[in-house]
Each structure stands twice: as C-alpha cells, then as structure tokens.
Amino acid sequence: MEIVVRSSPTPTPLLHIPVACRLPMESNTPSDISSAPNSQQENDGLVNDRNTHSTNNEENADEGSSHFQKKKRLKTSPVWADFTEVKMPDGTMKAQCRFCKGRLAIISSSSTSHLKRHLKTCTPKAAHDLKQQKITLQAVDSGCNQEKHVTPALTDGKFDMMKMRESIAHWILMHEHPFIIVEEEEFNMMQKHGMLERENVSRVSIKKDCEKVFEIEKNKLKNLLKSVSKISVTTDMWKSTNQKIEYMVLTGHFADSNWQLQKRVLSFIHLPPPHRGLEIGDNLYKCFKDWGIENKVLTISVDNASNNDSAVRILSELFQGISYIIEDIHETVTFINQNEGRLNLFSEIVQQLQLPHRKLILECKTRWNSTYQMLSAAIKFKEVFPMYKEREPRYLCCTNNDDWLKVEKFCWIRSLKILAKMSLFMKPKFDKYWGDCNLMMSIGAILDPRCKMRVIEFCFPRMYPENEACENIDKVKKALYALYKEYADEYYSSSGEGNGESVGLRGNNVTIQPSSSGWSEFAQFVRTVENIQPQKSDLDNYLEESCYICEEDPIPFDVLQWWRSNSLKYRILSRMAQDILAIPITTVASEATFSAGSRVIDTYRASLATETVEVLLCGGDWCRSLYGLKRKKKA
C-alpha cells in the first residue's frame, strides 16, 4: 500500500512512497492543496478523502512508481477577471462572460484576443462600467422626514464646479456666513485638499450664486403655494440699529398636502417712513400680490402696536366704503344681462381685446360668497366697461380706476377674519385678546376632536358671567356654522355639484324618465309616500359624535394628522380644519426672524443693500426648510 505526501503549492511532482518508508505527518502540513491560489481541483491524483487516496494509489501502483502528474498552466491574462470557466455537457470547457453570460471557446494556445474583443462590444459590461464611474453624495440624516436635496459635484467621473458653487451658496445662506468667507485662505486650502479641480470663488461671484438660489427657491415656493387653498400670515416691524432703517417681515403659515404644518418667511422688505397704518396695509398688499396669495389670505396676526391697529381700521373702513361700488357693479351686470343685444355687444368688445374670460356673475345679496364672486369676475373686464359705455349711451354705471383699485383690495381682504361672514356676529368694538370672546381661537379648539363643543361649554362659564357665557357660546356656534357654509358653498361650486347637504336624496325635483326595469318608477313612488329626513352636514355629524379619547402615548397627539386620516369621512369640514388649525396665535414666528437679521446686518455689513438682506434672510429660511434643518443659535 502507498500513501500520497502533499508538498508545498509549488509545481513539483507528487512522489509515491512505499508503505515501509512512511513518515509521520506534521500537524501544520496543509490538508488540501485547493486552498492555494489558482489551484485546480480537477488535477488527477488530488483528492480530499483519505480513503479515496488509498484507492487511487492502489490503482496507480500497477502503472509503476515512476508516475508523475503536472498542474494546469496558470491564467495570467487580466481578461479572466471578467470570465469564468464552465464545463459543457459534451465535456468541453468554455469561457463564460460575467455580464452577458455568453460562452466563448477556450483556445488551446491560451490566446485571449477573442475574449478581449467580446468585452469591448458587451453592452451589459459597458453599463456596469458607467455605473461604477458615478459617485453619489448622500446627505446626512438630520432626523427629518423631508427629502434631502444634495447635488453631487462629481458625476460621470467629472468634477462640476458650478454644482460645487451652488452647494457653497446653500451653506452660506443656511448658516448666515458672510460672502467673504470663500476668500479665506484656510477655507480654500481645506477645499483644495479634497477636490484638486476646485477653483477659487470671489465674494462677488458667490453673492450672485446666492441670488440665483434665492430666485430658484422662491419659484419653488410660489408653485407650492398654488396648491394651498388658504394661508395665514404673521407680520411685524423691526429697526436695524446698524443701518438705522426699518424692515417689515411677512411669514406664511399653512398645512401642505401631507397635512404637515409649514412655516416660511415670505418677505423681508425695507419699509421707508412714514410707518402709518396706510403704508403698512399697502405694503402688505404688494407682498401678497407678489406671491399670488391675495385671494388666499385667511388671517393676519399682528402685535398690539398702534400702527397695526390703524392698518386694521383702514382695512375695515375700506370694507364699509365699498358698498356703493358693489351696488354700481351689481347694476352693471344686471344691465348687460337684461337682453341679448347688450350681452352680444359686451361679448364683441371682449373678443376685440382678446380677453380669455367670458362670463359675468350676478350676486345673490343674501350670500356673502356670491358678492365676492361677482366682484372677482367683474374686475377681469375692467377694460371693457369704458368701451362699452362709449357704444351704449344708456349705460351710466361705469366704475372708474380708483374704484377698481378699491375692489381689488376688497377682494384681497375678503378672507380676513375681520371681513369674513362670521365677523357679522362679533361686537363692533371688543377688548383685545380675551377681553371678549375670541372666535377664531374658539373655533380652532372646537376642531380639536378631543374637545369639540365641550371645551367652550366647560371654559366659558369659568371665564364670563353666566348670561355672557351663554351669549358667547351661541355666538361661537353661529360663527362656526357661518364659516362652514362658506366652505360648503365653495366645495360644491368647485365640484360642479349641488348642495347635497340640504336634502336627503339629490335630484328630488328632477324628472325621471321611465325605464324598463321599473326601479325609477319605484324610487319616485318612495319619494312621494315617505318623509325623507334632510341629510346632515359634516359639521353636524362631527359635533354629535363623542369626543375623541386620546390615551396617553409617548408620541404627542397630532390634530392635523387626525383630520388627514378622517378627510374622506369629513370631506368639507376637513378642508376647513386644515386652514383654521394652521393659523398662528402669536407673532413669534415673525419676531424670531429679527434675531437672524441682527446677525446678518452686523456692524461690518451695515452697508448691505436692502434687496441683499432679503436674499439672505428669506433664502436662508428656504434652504433650511429644503434640507430639514433648524436654525442654530449663535452667540
């Protein structure tokens, strides 16, 4: 009997030694030569099992003790990194591509030229190589659920300096760094260590980059606000001690499509003197026009400064002084719609001016919302009415330019709480804050499903005398239903449906054509013999249900998310809750911007242009929202 003694992985032959000359095996001798690089398990005479060793050696003993075996030649070409050897059913060996799985012949002369040619034309390999060249830089997760927006400066193996400059502009805006920081030697040395292709940027160039980022983010925010039905704003005034000038900040508050409460600094503008209520109101209106939200503002929260009181009073007087203009426009629409000839003349002028609008709306004087719709439609034809007057001598109610300006402002403030229909139930004069019943805060509390009407029934008797408490509860309830009616009217007018909440089955008055099945005749019979109760509104159903009992949870109760999950159940009321619950109760959001303003306009940058200040303050707020970051306090 013979045994096989395994040598080192060098290509020396295996020696067959008689049993009588058997040597003891050392413990550190390798037990399997297959662990050596590029070794082949198919080599004759190399097996793993000890019994198999004996069997093979017995068979080989007949051939003589001078039998030697050689290892296969090592594959040194780098092309084999992309190919593997596979054994075909007929026993031949093929080279299989790692990418397309194609199989090519293995030439006995070890030539690999045909393999190299295949790799040059292999489409999957080309796609793999292109993917390997791309380096994506991931943003650090700050714990925010918002999507991260990081543009890699290295794409397709090439360094893009413009993308790098955009990232630097974001960094400066977010952290309120001065423009000159990009010219500091240490900053440029640090950047060069990581990116040899990077070019130095001047403070003038980076200022222009920040302005570009400001415009880009402003357009994004404008598009976002187009999908918002109502927005509440806070505003405040601040005087820069370094520049000796006054600024006005405007902050928007709204709930987005995901029912997340959002806050954005919309404007940070220089307000030249005088700072009277008239100037404040005019500048607010200009800001709203710039953002395209003049018809979406629900509330304006201001502090108790006297000039803010004056601004509110001026807006109130505007409402009172526009009554004669509303009457004139009502008479105008009535006059034009009186006969077909007048209507055709009006349509001809509209076509001559190539206006896209085609319809005038006549108000119903008992409905506040219809008055607004009439004015909004008429203002689109303000250029038509003077020409119409020239051609129609009997038309005498033409509105002048000053009156149209008042109508425009009136349409803007029609959504403010001082002008909404619920304001009809408020006292003409009331104490500030909680001196009298605060309707908006009360309605907001009712829209919390944990509170509903129970909250004012519980609190008001503790806040007011008994008679006054009952009056205030009734006042809040009337204002709540009046506000809900506006949302219901808007919902059904936009959806093209009738008000389905006033009757049990829609179309009771519609003539039903007989059908072969007989179901339509049966339905008509049911309507005549049964007393169908009116369908309840979302608001009625919400108030009649029990308060939501919120068990103690480590996660605080999110009222907006509750309404989001119940938006299908309360289609109209959920829209109202989305707007009302986004109203801020303080002006802290606007005042907080001034702390950043004092850092931006420091003693070294007192000469900053007011436009640049707005870019820095607003752009910084937008970039922080973009990346889901919060402003960090600075000393």
Side-chain angles (χ1 to χ4, degrees):
M1 180 179 293
E2 298 176 342
I3 65 170
V4 178
V5 178
R6 303 195 178 203
S7 63
S8 62
T10 57
T12 56
L14 301 178
L15 181 64
H16 295 261
I17 304 176
V19 175
C21 302
R22 181 184 306 173
L23 300 176
M25 300 285 290
E26 296 184 4
S27 59
N28 59 354
T29 303
S31 61
D32 192 351
I33 198 170
S34 63
S35 62
N38 298 318
S39 62
Q40 302 294 329
Q41 294 181 356
E42 302 91 11
N43 290 344
D44 297 333
L46 299 182
V47 291
N48 296 327
D49 188 83
R50 192 177 189 90
N51 294 330
T52 308
H53 294 171
S54 301
T55 305
N56 288 343
N57 292 332
E58 290 173 357
E59 293 175 355
N60 293 336
D62 297 335
E63 300 178 4
S65 60
S66 62
H67 180 71
F68 294 92
Q69 291 181 329
K70 297 182 179 180
K71 293 181 66 177
K72 287 187 177 181
R73 181 178 178 180
L74 295 175
K75 296 178 174 60
T76 58
S77 174
V79 76
W80 285 104
D82 296 326
F83 286 91
T84 56
E85 286 187 274
V86 295
K87 189 174 183 180
M88 305 302 293
D90 59 359
T92 60
M93 302 299 294
K94 294 282 186 179
Q96 179 173 286
C97 177
R98 290 177 46 228
F99 306 99
C100 66
K101 305 304 179 183
R103 295 171 179 174
L104 290 82
I106 298 178
I107 301 177
S108 58
S109 62
S110 301
S111 174
T112 58
S113 300
H114 64 301
L115 302 181
K116 295 178 181 178
R117 288 193 297 269
H118 170 80
L119 293 178
K120 291 180 179 180
T121 59
C122 181
T123 303
K125 182 181 185 302
H128 176 269
D129 293 344
L130 180 61
K131 183 179 180 181
Q132 290 294 100
Q133 292 177 1
K134 295 183 179 180
I135 300 178
T136 303
L137 303 179
Q138 298 294 335
V140 178
D141 191 357
S142 61
C144 179
N145 293 328
Q146 295 186 7
E147 180 184 359
K148 306 300 184 297
H149 303 262
V150 177
T151 305
L154 188 62
T155 306
D156 297 340
K158 296 181 180 179
F159 179 78
D160 192 334
M161 185 58 197
M162 294 307 297
K163 292 181 180 178
M164 188 65 192
R165 286 173 55 174
E166 181 183 5
S167 297
I168 294 175
H170 284 191
W171 172 64
I172 288 177
L173 289 171
M174 283 190 294
H175 298 289
E176 302 161 4
H177 292 307
F179 298 135
I180 201 171
I181 195 173
V182 298
E183 296 183 358
E184 292 183 357
E185 294 180 359
E186 294 81 359
F187 175 80
N188 287 291
M189 287 172 58
M190 175 188 66
Q191 295 282 304
K192 278 287 187 181
H193 277 302
M195 296 159 287
L196 297 178
E197 302 91 342
R198 180 189 176 275
E199 303 170 0
N200 291 345
V201 186
S202 68
R203 62 180 182 273
V204 177
S205 298
I206 206 65
K207 175 187 175 184
K208 294 179 180 178
D209 293 342
C210 290
E211 291 172 349
K212 290 179 182 178
V213 171
F214 171 82
E215 292 298 333
I216 292 172
E217 297 304 321
K218 184 175 183 178
N219 290 331
K220 289 181 182 178
L221 184 53
K222 276 188 174 181
N223 291 331
L224 175 61
L225 293 178
K226 288 180 181 178
S227 62
V228 176
S229 60
K230 295 289 188 298
I231 181 171
S232 297
V233 299
T234 57
T235 184
D236 204 354
M237 303 284 294
W238 173 71
K239 184 176 182 179
S240 171
T241 56
N242 293 313
Q243 290 184 327
K244 310 300 181 185
I245 60 177
E246 196 134 1
Y247 289 90
M248 181 176 73
V249 63
L250 183 69
T251 309
H253 307 259
F254 59 94
D256 61 18
S257 57
N258 292 323
W259 295 76
Q260 295 291 333
L261 194 60
Q262 300 290 340
K263 175 183 70 70
R264 297 290 190 279
V265 177
L266 301 181
S267 301
F268 194 92
I269 60 173
H270 167 49
L271 189 64
H275 303 139
R276 300 173 301 181
L278 179 62
E279 285 74 24
I280 294 175
D282 287 342
N283 280 276
L284 281 175
Y285 180 69
K286 289 178 183 178
C287 291
F288 294 154
K289 286 285 289 183
D290 178 48
W291 284 98
I293 58 173
E294 64 272 17
N295 295 325
K296 296 183 177 184
V297 177
L298 180 62
T299 63
I300 297 180
S301 300
V302 298
D303 62 14
N304 58 355
S306 58
N307 51 2
N308 288 330
D309 294 339
S310 177
V312 173
R313 185 179 64 254
I314 290 173
L315 295 177
S316 301
E317 292 173 353
L318 173 65
F319 172 68
Q320 296 174 358
I322 201 175
S323 57
Y324 75 93
I325 303 176
I326 296 176
E327 187 65 28
D328 287 345
I329 294 177
H330 180 89
E331 294 297 329
T332 295
V333 177
T334 303
F335 179 86
I336 293 174
N337 288 330
Q338 193 168 5
N339 59 59
E340 186 177 358
R342 296 174 181 175
L343 190 59
N344 290 337
L345 176 60
F346 186 83
S347 299
E348 291 176 3
I349 300 174
V350 172
Q351 293 176 4
Q352 291 175 8
L353 296 176
Q354 297 181 352
L355 297 178
H357 313 289
R358 292 288 183 272
K359 186 177 180 181
L360 287 171
I361 299 176
L362 184 64
E363 70 166 338
C364 174
K365 293 188 175 183
T366 60
R367 290 182 56 195
W368 160 265
N369 199 47
S370 68
T371 302
Y372 164 73
Q373 292 174 350
M374 180 188 72
L375 297 179
S376 298
I379 200 171
K380 299 173 183 177
F381 301 99
K382 63 181 181 180
E383 299 176 1
V384 178
F385 296 117
M387 298 178 63
Y388 186 82
K389 184 178 181 180
E390 294 176 357
R391 303 185 185 186
E392 177 54 68
R394 287 172 291 182
Y395 172 57
L396 304 175
C397 302
C398 185
T399 306
N400 57 43
N401 291 332
D402 292 337
D403 290 341
W404 283 122
L405 182 61
K406 293 180 181 179
V407 170
E408 191 176 27
K409 289 186 177 181
F410 169 80
C411 292
W412 157 59
I413 61 176
R414 94 200 201 319
S415 296
L416 301 182
K417 62 181 179 180
I418 59 173
L419 298 179
K421 186 174 181 179
M422 62 181 180
S423 65
L424 299 177
F425 302 100
M426 297 175 66
K427 293 181 179 179
K429 295 182 180 180
F430 57 89
D431 298 332
K432 290 182 181 179
Y433 308 117
W434 288 104
D436 196 359
C437 177
N438 190 309
L439 293 179
M440 195 56 67
M441 292 189 70
S442 300
I443 292 175
I446 293 172
L447 292 176
D448 187 329
R450 299 168 299 177
C451 302
K452 299 189 177 182
M453 287 296 295
R454 297 286 186 260
V455 68
I456 63 173
E457 293 171 353
F458 174 79
C459 294
F460 278 18
R462 290 165 171 78
M463 297 170 57
Y464 309 106
E466 182 178 355
N467 294 337
E468 189 175 353
C470 295
E471 293 176 1
N472 286 337
I473 292 175
D474 185 60
K475 183 190 301 182
V476 169
K477 201 168 185 178
K478 287 181 179 178
L480 177 66
Y481 273 88
L483 186 59
Y484 174 80
K485 187 178 184 303
E486 287 192 11
Y487 275 85
D489 291 342
E490 183 177 354
Y491 174 82
Y492 288 112
S493 62
S494 62
S495 62
E497 303 178 9
N499 189 340
E501 295 183 343
S502 60
V503 293
L505 295 175
R506 297 179 187 173
N508 288 354
N509 298 324
V510 177
T511 302
I512 301 177
Q513 298 295 329
S515 62
S516 58
S517 65
W519 278 109
S520 59
E521 292 85 347
F522 176 72
Q524 187 67 33
F525 170 75
V526 171
R527 291 189 181 94
T528 58
V529 298
E530 290 190 359
N531 183 20
I532 301 176
Q533 299 296 324
Q535 181 179 343
K536 292 182 179 179
S537 67
D538 282 358
L539 182 56
D540 289 328
N541 291 329
Y542 172 76
L543 295 178
E544 288 178 3
E545 292 180 354
S546 302
C547 292
Y548 174 74
I549 305 299
C550 182
E551 302 292 342
E552 290 191 9
D553 196 306
I555 301 177
F557 179 70
D558 192 329
V559 179
L560 281 174
Q561 291 305 311
W562 186 92
W563 279 106
R564 178 188 185 183
S565 61
N566 288 274
S567 58
L568 293 179
K569 182 179 180 180
Y570 306 107
R571 294 182 181 272
I572 301 174
L573 191 60
S574 62
R575 295 187 179 187
M576 176 175 157
Q578 187 177 24
D579 296 334
I580 298 299
L581 294 175
I583 298 174
I585 62 172
T586 69
T587 60
V588 170
S590 293
E591 294 171 358
T593 308
F594 299 146
S595 61
S598 61
R599 295 192 297 268
V600 170
I601 314 173
D602 56 19
T603 55
Y604 298 99
R605 293 193 286 177
S607 60
L608 283 175
T610 56
E611 295 81 6
T612 305
V613 172
E614 183 174 23
V615 169
L616 294 173
L617 268 298
C618 295
D621 179 78
W622 302 339
C623 286
R624 282 188 290 272
S625 298
L626 179 68
Y627 293 100
L629 301 178
K630 294 182 179 180
R631 180 190 288 120
K632 296 180 180 179
K633 294 183 179 180
K634 290 188 177 182

